[in-house]
Amino acid sequence: MPSAGFANRRALKLVALFAMLIAFVAQLVGALLPVVPLFIAASVVNLGLDLYLQHKQPGLLSLLGKIRLDITVRQLIRDMLILVGLLHIEGINPLKEQAPLTIGLLVFYVAHFACQAAAVMVRRTRTLPFLTRNVDASALRLTKAPPRLLARQTGRRLLRFSVPTTLGMMATAITRDALWGGVGVIVSLVLAVGGTVYLATWLLPKKRAVNEQRALEWLDNWLAEYQPTVGMYFSGGTTSAYQANMWLSTLAELEGKPIIVLRERFMVQKIDATDIPIVCIPKVANLMRLEHSALKVLLHPANSGKTSQILRIPSIKHAFINHGESDKLSSCNPYAKAYDEVWVAGPAARDRYQLADIGVEDKDVVEVGRPQLAPIKAYEGAPKGEYTTVLYAPTWEGWDGNPGNTSVILAGENIVRELLADPKVRLLYKPHPMTGSVDPRAGAANSRIQAMIAEANAKRSGARPGPEAAAALEARAADLAALTTSGFRRSADEMERMLVQGAPEEGRAAAVAAATAAWEEAYWASFPEWEHLIITTSRPAIFACFNQADVLISDVSSVVSDYLSSEKPYAVANTSGMTEDEFRTNFPTVRAATILTPEADGVAGLLETVRNPERDTLVQARRELKEHLLGPSDPPSLARFDAAALALRAEAEERRIRMEARLAGVPGQREEGTEANEAQEAAEEMELDPAESADPVEPATEPAEAAEAADAAETGEPPVAADGSEARARV
C-alpha cells in the first residue's frame, strides 16, 4: 500500500500532466485571438511542464504515447502554435520575418531526426551479441559510451534543444522583433547539428567495437582458453535474482573453473558480488556455441521458459539444484524430469519426488545437502540477553491462490500483535521480497504490519548506541561498497560496464567475505537491543537474521528447512484450513514445529519454551528432522555437492568418448549434437530411412525473440536515480 507521501507526490504529478494538456488549449486560444500574455505564459508553461514530467514521471507521459501524442508530436504542436501565434500578432511581417523562422525551425527538426538516426546506429554498433562481467574483454575494443542525452534520451534531447527556440520566439512576441526568434532558432540548430556530429564520431573505427562475427569468435577463443568445467545457468525476471545469488558462494568453492551463464541483459547487474566469470548470451543461436566448449555440467537453480533452450545441448549434463526446498508443490515441478539429475538436500526431498509421482526417477535424485547453510550458527539454549529475539519471515502468496502459502494475509497481523504485546520480545520482521506481487491483500497486510511495528517502536524507549555506532556502520558500508559495486557514469551503457567490470583483482572474494562480516556486525550494533526491526533490503541476508534470532516464525517454505540447520525452536502458521494433525502429516517440515493458528494461538506457549528450554519437548524431533531434510553432517555438504558435480562431469565425458567412437565407426557422420545426426543414428539402429525418421530441425531463434533482443538493446537501459546520483552495480 503506497504511503501518504508517495500518494501526494503521485497526485501532484498527475495534476502537472493535466495542467500541461490545459496549457495546450490555452496556447491555442492565445495564438488565435491573439492574447499575447496568455500566449506567452501558456507556451512557456507547456514546455516547462513537459520537461518536468520527462524528468520526474516519464511513466505518466507514456500514457500520452499510447494515443500517439508522444514527445515529438507534442513539441511539433507547440512549435506550430507558436508560429500561428506570431502570424496573428501585429507588427511581425509574415514574409520577411516569420518565413525565415519557419524555415529555420524545419531545419532544426531535420537535424533532430538526423541525430536520432545517428543514435540508433551508435546503439546498434555498441550492442554486442553477449555481455560479460569479471572477464577481461578489452580485446573487443570496448570504449566509453556517448553522452546519455544524445544517445538514449530522445525526448529530453528534443525538449532541451527546443528551449532556446521557444524563448527566442516569446521574445519576438513581446518585442515584435524577429531577431530574437532567429537567435533562438540558430542556437537550437547549433545544438542539434553539433550533437549529431559529435555523436557520429562513435561510428568511426577508433570508437567502434568489433562486429558481431568477430565478437563471437572472441567468445569462442575465451571459452577455449578459460576451459570452464561447471556452470550455473539462470534466466528470470527482475525480482528473481536472489534464486541465483544464494548459490554464488557454493559455485565458487567447487573444484575446477566455474562460470555463470545468463540470458537476460539486465540480469548481469542483478547478480551479487562474485569473482566468477559471468557471460550473458541472449540469443539461442549464440547459446549453442557452448556445445563446443569445455563446459560439461550446468546447474539450474530455477525453471524458466528459456531453460529448455540450453537443454538442447547434449554434450552438457544438467542438474536441477532449485533455490530452496519446501513441502509446497512448487518444489516438485514436473519440469524437473527434463534434467539429467535432480539434486536435493536430504531424504525428505527424495521421498517428496516419489510421492508426487511426476516422472522423476529415484535413480536421478542425488542428495547433496545445502552447502550454503554453513554460516548458520547452532542452537545455544535460552536467550542470553534481556529480550527474546523473534524472527518473523513469512513467504509470499505464490501463483495459485492457496491461502496456506503465506500467513501474511490471514495470520500476519495477529502474530505480530501477540509478539508486540510481550514487553520482552524484540521482533525482526523480514517479509519475502515478492510479497504483494500477486495478491494485493498480501501487500496491504504487509504495510499494516510494518505500521504496527513502527507504532510499537514509538512507544518503546531506552539507551541507544552512540553516534560512533552509526559512524562505524557507515564506514563498513563504504568499505563493502568499494569492494562489491562499480561506479558508473550516468551515460554508461552495457559496453562501458563491461569495460569497467573486467577481470577482478586477486583476493577480492576473501576481502568481500571479510567486509560483509564486518558490515553485519556493525549493522546489529547500530540498533538498541530493544528496538524492533523491519528488514526489507537484501542485506542483512536471511542467514544473518537466523543468527540473531532465538526463534523463527514462518510458513511452509525453504526458510524453515534452512533454519532447522541451527536446531533452534521454530513455529509455522497454519492458514491452510487443515487440522493440526493433517497439517503435520501433509507437510513434513512442520513435524518439529509449534503450530500457530490464524488467530495466533500458540505464540505465548512458544515464547515460554524458548525462554525455558527444559520445557521444550521438540528438541530431539528437530535434530531428527534436520537430518531428514538436510542429510547427514558428515561428509560436509560442500564435499557431497562437489563430488556430485565431478561425477556428473565424468558422465558427460564418458558420453563424449562414446560419441567419438560411434562417429569414428560410421563414415559420413555429421558433427555430434545435431538433431539430424541423432535422427540418422536412430534410423540406422531401427533400419529405417533417415529422411523418413528425422524431425524438422527447429530454427535457432524465433523472429519475435530477435526483435525482443533488439528492443532490449535499444531501450533496456537501467534507470538513473532522479537525484542525478551515479549509477552503481554489483561487481
Side-chain angles (χ1 to χ4, degrees), residues 30-31 34 36 39 84-93 172-174 176:
V36 176
F39 169 64
V84 170
L86 294 181
L87 186 65
H88 284 78
I89 295 175
E90 295 182 4
I92 300 177
N93 189 313
T172 294
I174 296 172
R176 274 59 171 183

Side-chain angles (χ1 to χ4, degrees), residues 429-433 446 450 523 533-540:
Y429 177 56
K430 189 173 177 64
H432 192 284
N446 178 40
Q450 294 190 33
Y523 175 84
L533 298 182
I534 300 170
I535 304 171
T536 56
T537 53
S538 59
R539 188 181 295 127

Side-chain angles (χ1 to χ4, degrees), residues 375-428:
I376 299 176
K377 297 178 182 178
Y379 179 49
E380 297 179 350
K384 293 181 171 58
E386 180 182 355
Y387 294 90
T388 301
T389 301
V390 181
L391 171 62
Y392 179 36
T395 190
W396 68 302
E397 59 270 23
W399 301 108
D400 57 6
N402 189 326
N405 286 342
T406 179
S407 59
V408 169
I409 298 174
L410 298 179
E413 293 170 80
N414 295 330
I415 291 172
V416 170
R417 189 177 293 109
E418 285 291 312
L419 293 172
L420 296 179
D422 190 318
K424 294 301 181 183
V425 162
R426 184 198 193 191
L427 174 60
L428 307 180

Side-chain angles (χ1 to χ4, degrees), residues 14 178 266 516 563 661:
L14 282 170
F266 69 82
T516 300
Y563 187 79

Side-chain angles (χ1 to χ4, degrees), residues 299-478:
L299 310 177
H300 300 259
N303 298 312
S304 74
K306 294 181 180 179
T307 299
S308 62
Q309 297 168 350
I310 192 70
L311 293 178
R312 299 178 187 180
I313 301 180
S315 61
I316 298 177
K317 291 290 184 179
H318 303 270
F320 181 57
I321 58 177
N322 213 334
H323 53 273
E325 293 181 7
S326 73
D327 294 322
K328 290 184 293 189
L329 292 177
S330 58
S331 289
C332 290
N333 194 316
Y335 199 107
K337 61 188 175 186
Y339 302 95
D340 296 288
E341 291 182 352
V342 176
W343 293 2
V344 299
R350 178 187 293 277
D351 296 344
R352 192 180 303 123
Y353 273 105
Q354 300 316 305
L355 289 172
D357 192 21
I358 57 173
V360 176
E361 298 185 28
D362 188 65
K363 66 181 180 62
D364 295 328
V365 178
V366 181
E367 297 176 27
V368 295
R370 288 274 283 168
Q372 61 268 70
L373 303 184
I376 299 176
K377 297 178 182 178
Y379 179 49
E380 297 179 350
K384 293 181 171 58
E386 180 182 355
Y387 294 90
T388 301
T389 301
V390 181
L391 171 62
Y392 179 36
T395 190
W396 68 302
E397 59 270 23
W399 301 108
D400 57 6
N402 189 326
N405 286 342
T406 179
S407 59
V408 169
I409 298 174
L410 298 179
E413 293 170 80
N414 295 330
I415 291 172
V416 170
R417 189 177 293 109
E418 285 291 312
L419 293 172
L420 296 179
D422 190 318
K424 294 301 181 183
V425 162
R426 184 198 193 191
L427 174 60
L428 307 180
Y429 177 56
K430 189 173 177 64
H432 192 284
M434 293 180 67
T435 298
S437 60
V438 172
D439 192 336
R441 295 178 301 164
N446 178 40
S447 297
R448 290 194 297 269
I449 288 172
Q450 294 190 33
M452 292 169 61
I453 296 172
E455 182 180 355
N457 272 333
K459 296 177 181 179
R460 282 192 167 188
S461 62
R464 303 190 69 94
E468 65 278 1
L473 177 60
E474 185 176 351
R476 299 293 79 77

